[in-house]
């Protein structure tokens, strides 16, 4: 027969005397049920009258009815106490009583055995009902069940430093013999002290780093100002030198002009003399031409010379236009040479500055934090079995798929997700992870394949991505189906440094206690596109993008 789900109300199984869930229930002849101790205590008050009544319907009984434990009802209320009551309690406020009906009172304690919280009124009823029994009481806290050992149903009051977990006193005899154990309070105080010291040191390092960076900013500004002043002086001198050369060239042009003009003026003076002589002889010729005496003409025309031949263009040693062409050509060549020198030297200075920047690789965590980047997980890329939370800073793999809309960038088979931010410079980020399903921490080109369940679709198993994978206490670097196993304790906090220009990728184990970093793997490669941080999260694991302090100048 198919099982039937029956919805029940906790108040149906509460004792009307103590108002608590029935404990060792008994049913009296009228059909009402009570806790064994509650009805006995109620009837003890009736011993003098020898008339026993039901607290609810007031029906009387004489003699006193024999009380027997209602086994079926006891099983029901026990299941209710273990399941339904706990479920309703998980939905209730942390400090509310689990027994109160209607308006809840504030809980003052938690019973380890009953797995319930009680207010002052119901605590008295609980204590009276369980007088002489061992019911361990504890402080009311959030999710109190996590303080209870599931194996022995006792408070976890001991911390095993060997296994790094909280256990109860019975666990010490079963699997923790010879281990380094202390009380949970002692371990909490020790860890709290270490954390406070770590945060104090971190705060002081932040202050020191801030002062150091402010000093660096001042130094950079002073140095920049000094270089600017020196460059101003250099260019002023260069301009003065150019102006001087300009003046010399102008003077040279004018000298060539004066020389050419002097030669031309001498030729012009000689030509004027020739013109005067020509006019004189032309007058004598005109006079002879007017005489009628042919003999006289023939006798005197012999004294006249033939007209002088002035020739072609006057011969000048310096051609000013030709000289100007030569000068123009020389000045154009000078301009090109100066531009080439300026471009070449500027490129050389820029390259030298870039090489210097590449040589200044970060060494301490403070150095790396200068390149911190704020990352968020891209929900459009998240596989449907990944649940994003904390403003897309935390990712967990679930047993059931999430209701994400269809998107072409979503990973459809592997439980992977990329960050929304692409990186094309020096960048540093840290992640924390936990669980037993393993994770992959890496980077990827945006063009990584998103569909299909082949292994080459997984982060680090193709030419478009690089990753550091943690699984089964094993650490390995993956790229393009090449695997390098790294023999190191698996860290729970990992730092990633990317120098996009230099093609440098490095993974570090980060310790928050002393702010130290241990290199896990360094990879030198050629990067041609912006890269996106990406993660694969195994079932049972959770990964968180950490908030790091960025020391911006």
């Amino acid at each position: 027969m198919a099982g039937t789900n029956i919805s029940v109300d906790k108040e149906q199984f509460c004792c009307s005397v103590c108002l608590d869930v029935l404990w060792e229930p008994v049913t009296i002849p009228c059909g009402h049920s009570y806790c064994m101790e509650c009805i006995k205590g109620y009837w003890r008050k009736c011993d003098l009258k020898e008339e026993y009544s039901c607290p609810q319907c007031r029906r009387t009984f004489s003699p006193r009815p024999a009380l027997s434990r209602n086994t079926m009802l006891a099983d029901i209320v026990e299941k209710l106490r273990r399941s339904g009551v706990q479920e309703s309690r998980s939905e209730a406020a942390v400090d509310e009583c689990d027994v109160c009906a209607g308006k809840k009172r504030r809980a003052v304690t938690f019973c380890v055995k009953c797995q319930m919280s009680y207010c002052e009124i119901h605590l008295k009823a609980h204590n009276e009902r369980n007088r002489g029994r061992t019911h361990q009481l504890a402080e009311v806290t959030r999710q109190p069940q996590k303080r209870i050992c599931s194996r022995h149903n006792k408070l976890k009051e001991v911390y095993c430093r060997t296994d790094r977990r909280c256990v109860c006193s019975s666990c010490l005899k079963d699997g923790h013999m010879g281990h380094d154990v202390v009380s949970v309070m002692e371990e909490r105080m020790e860890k709290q002290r270490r954390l406070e010291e770590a945060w104090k040191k971190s705060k002081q390092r932040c202050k020191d780093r801030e002062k150091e960076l402010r000093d660096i900013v001042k130094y950079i500004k002073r140095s920049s100002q000094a270089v600017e002043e020196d460059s101003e002086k250099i260019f002023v001198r260069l301009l003065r030198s150019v102006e001087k050369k300009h003046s010399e060239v102008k003077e040279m042009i004018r000298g060539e002009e004066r020389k050419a003009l002097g030669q031309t003026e001498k030729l012009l003076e000689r030509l004027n003399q020739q013109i005067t002589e020509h006019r004189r002889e032309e007058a004598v010729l005109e006079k002879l031409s007017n005489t009628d005496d042919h003999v006289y003409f023939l006798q005197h025309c012999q004294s006249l010379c033939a007209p002088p031949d002035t020739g072609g263009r006057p011969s000048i040693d310096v051609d000013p236009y030709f000289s100007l062409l030569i000068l123009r050509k020389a000045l154009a060549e000078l301009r090109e040479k100066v531009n080439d020198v300026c471009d070449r030297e500027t490129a050389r200075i820029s390259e030298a500055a870039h090489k210097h920047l590449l040589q200044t690789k970060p060494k301490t965590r403070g150095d790396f934090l200068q390149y911190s980047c704020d990352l968020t997980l891209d929900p459009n890329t998240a596989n449907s079995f990944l649940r994003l939370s904390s403003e897309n800073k935390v990712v967990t793999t679930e047993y059931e798929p999430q209701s994400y809309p269809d998107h072409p960038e979503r990973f459809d088979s592997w439980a992977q997700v990329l960050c929304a931010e692409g990186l094309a410079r020096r960048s540093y980020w840290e992640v924390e992870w936990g669980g037993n399903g393993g994770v992959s921490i890496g980077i990827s080109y945006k063009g990584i394949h998103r569909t299909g369940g082949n292994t080459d679709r997984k982060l680090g198993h193709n030419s478009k991505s690089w990753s550091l994978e943690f699984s089964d206490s094993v650490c390995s670097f993956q790229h393009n189906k090449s695997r390098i196993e790294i023999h190191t304790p698996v860290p729970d906090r990992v730092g990633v440094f990317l120098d996009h220009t230099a093609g440098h990728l490095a993974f570090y184990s980060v310790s928050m206690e002393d702010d130290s970093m241990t290199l896990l793997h360094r990879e030198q490669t050629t990067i041609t596109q912006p890269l996106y941080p990406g993660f694969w999260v195994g079932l049972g694991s959770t990964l968180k993008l950490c908030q790091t302090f960025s020391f911006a100048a």
Side-chain angles (χ1 to χ4, degrees), residues 484-516:
I484 301 174
E485 187 168 328
I486 302 169
H487 300 283
T488 180
V490 176
D492 54 9
R493 190 178 183 107
V494 177
V496 185
F497 176 69
L498 170 67
D499 190 332
H500 190 281
T501 304
H504 179 74
L505 174 66
F507 299 88
Y508 296 87
S509 170
V510 180
S511 171
M512 295 301 294
E513 291 188 0
D514 55 2
D515 221 26
S516 64

Side-chain angles (χ1 to χ4, degrees), residues 48 110 124 148 157 192 201 217 248 286 300 305 314 409 429 442 448 463 478 523:
L48 295 177
F110 176 79
K124 291 180 180 179
I148 311 302
E157 299 178 314
Q192 183 172 342
K201 290 179 181 178
V217 169
E248 292 177 357
E286 184 179 0
H300 288 84
C305 300
E409 295 185 358
W429 63 97
I448 187 174
S463 61
Q478 305 273 356
E523 187 74 8

Side-chain angles (χ1 to χ4, degrees), residues 526-542:
T526 301
I527 302 174
T528 59
Q529 307 170 33
L531 287 166
Y532 292 78
F535 312 97
W536 167 81
V537 183
L539 184 62
S541 292
T542 297

Side-chain angles (χ1 to χ4, degrees), residues 30-189:
C30 64
H32 292 112
S33 299
Y34 300 94
C35 299
M36 176 79 77
E37 293 299 324
C38 290
I39 193 64
K40 283 183 178 180
Y42 183 81
W43 280 350
R44 274 196 291 268
K45 300 176 183 177
C46 304
D47 285 341
L48 295 177
K49 299 180 181 180
E50 295 184 355
E51 188 176 273
Y52 306 94
S53 63
C54 172
Q56 295 186 64
C57 65
R58 301 301 177 182
R59 180 179 172 181
T60 59
F61 310 102
S62 184
R64 174 176 171 173
L67 299 176
S68 299
R69 184 171 180 268
N70 189 326
T71 307
M72 182 179 295
L73 187 58
D75 291 340
I76 293 174
V77 295
E78 180 64 21
K79 291 179 180 179
L80 179 66
R81 182 179 290 107
R82 296 293 183 184
S83 58
V85 172
Q86 293 182 8
E87 290 176 5
S88 64
R89 183 182 185 282
S90 63
E91 298 173 357
V94 174
D95 57 351
E96 289 181 356
C97 176
D98 290 331
V99 182
C100 288
K103 186 177 180 181
K104 298 284 187 178
R105 298 184 184 87
R106 184 176 182 275
V108 295
T109 190
F110 176 79
C111 178
V112 176
K113 185 171 183 179
C114 298
Q115 295 278 290
M116 296 177 67
S117 295
Y118 298 97
C119 63
E120 291 184 355
I121 296 176
H122 290 106
L123 177 62
K124 291 180 180 179
H126 169 273
N127 292 340
E128 289 178 4
R129 182 178 68 249
N130 297 292
R131 187 180 292 113
R133 298 174 182 169
T134 304
H135 281 240
Q136 190 176 9
L137 301 179
E139 179 185 0
V140 176
T141 60
R142 187 176 297 274
Q143 296 181 322
Q145 287 82 3
K146 291 189 176 182
R147 300 178 59 196
I148 311 302
C149 176
S150 59
R151 295 178 58 192
H152 304 102
N153 200 29
K154 291 184 177 181
L155 271 178
K156 297 178 181 178
E157 299 178 314
V158 182
Y159 182 81
C160 177
R161 289 177 172 174
T162 304
D163 294 335
R164 291 197 285 186
R165 54 181 295 194
C166 296
V167 297
C168 70
S169 56
S170 297
C171 290
L172 294 179
K173 304 174 184 178
D174 184 14
H176 295 274
M177 295 295 293
H179 289 189
D180 181 13
V181 295
V182 294
S183 67
V184 291
M185 179 178 292
E186 182 179 350
E187 182 65 17
R188 180 259 173 90
M189 297 300 292

